[in-house]
Amino acid sequence: MGWVALLVGLLCLAGCASSDSSDGMSDSSVPELPDKPLLSELNRVEQSLFWRVNDERRKGGLMPLTLKADLCRAARKHNFEMMQVGIVSHFSHEGLDIGQQLTAQGIPWNLCAENLAKMPDTKDVAQKTVEFWMSEPTGEKDILFHLYNETGLAAQKDPKTGEWFITQIYARRIGYWVP
């Protein structure tokens, strides 16, 4: 497991070194990602969240989560909807929970959950977000649940308020063996 954590760390560092300080969103639509995102294609907050959540999993003796493009797109869609109305909600504007949202977008899943946050703009917004999630029983449970093996995340700065809206989806796909 040590080499996997090292590889994830090196990928994150490579991505962080090449990132700019943009917030990764357009005012007019949900931000897009290519089919196979690299950490360098995420904004600085998303990169840091990915690294920090996997670090918490490593500390808990768990394998790191794998970043998936379709889950990132789903997280960005949900995040954008929350930002548009200015509230954090586990339901879409259509009243769908995360599992129903994934299904509606054609994303297969066996287990899924999400952590959400709305945070002030600080240089350590990712760190503060992970600390917030780890301080809540449900947030910590989602991060440290051993059966989750994939993730998608979104962090977008609201141009009107300057606050960050953050969504992280955790999943295990249909077709994977569940012990």
Side-chain angles (χ1 to χ4, degrees):
M1 182 170 79
W3 67 269
V4 173
L6 177 62
L7 179 60
V8 169
L10 291 174
L11 288 172
C12 182
L13 289 175
C16 290
S18 67
S19 69
D20 62 23
S21 61
S22 70
D23 59 20
M25 67 163 289
S26 161
D27 290 342
S28 62
S29 65
V30 176
E32 292 296 323
L33 281 176
D35 288 334
K36 296 182 180 179
L38 300 174
L39 285 175
S40 62
E41 294 167 339
L42 301 179
N43 69 42
R44 65 178 172 79
V45 174
E46 291 165 337
Q47 290 173 3
S48 185
L49 279 167
F50 180 72
W51 171 254
R52 290 174 187 281
V53 165
N54 274 333
D55 191 48
E56 290 296 333
R57 289 178 62 84
R58 181 193 54 77
K59 290 177 194 173
L62 301 171
M63 295 296 291
L65 298 168
T66 302
L67 186 66
K68 294 296 185 174
D70 57 351
L71 295 176
C72 285
R73 284 191 293 272
R76 286 182 178 206
K77 182 179 187 307
H78 184 74
N79 213 48
F80 188 76
E81 285 183 12
M82 290 191 311
M83 192 176 63
Q84 294 299 89
V85 296
I87 60 169
V88 173
S89 174
H90 287 285
F91 296 93
S92 71
H93 69 275
E94 299 154 335
L96 304 178
D97 67 24
I98 186 58
Q100 293 166 325
Q101 290 175 56
L102 294 177
T103 299
Q105 294 174 50
I107 299 172
W109 59 276
N110 189 18
L111 300 169
C112 68
E114 68 183 347
N115 280 340
L116 307 173
K118 182 167 123 175
M119 304 296 282
D121 186 24
T122 63
K123 70 176 184 166
D124 58 354
V125 67
Q127 177 183 338
K128 297 286 187 197
T129 301
V130 174
E131 288 171 358
F132 168 68
W133 288 339
M134 290 299 290
S135 74
E136 292 192 327
T138 303
E140 180 182 31
K141 178 184 71 84
D142 291 341
I143 290 172
L144 299 179
F145 188 53
H146 70 285
L147 293 179
Y148 294 140
N149 62 355
E150 296 180 343
T151 192
L153 49 100
Q156 300 163 304
K157 187 175 176 182
D158 186 334
K160 296 174 281 201
T161 67
E163 294 174 303
W164 284 87
F165 282 79
I166 300 168
T167 299
Q168 183 160 18
I169 297 172
Y170 308 90
R172 179 172 283 273
R173 304 298 178 116
I174 293 173
Y176 285 112
W177 176 74
V178 178

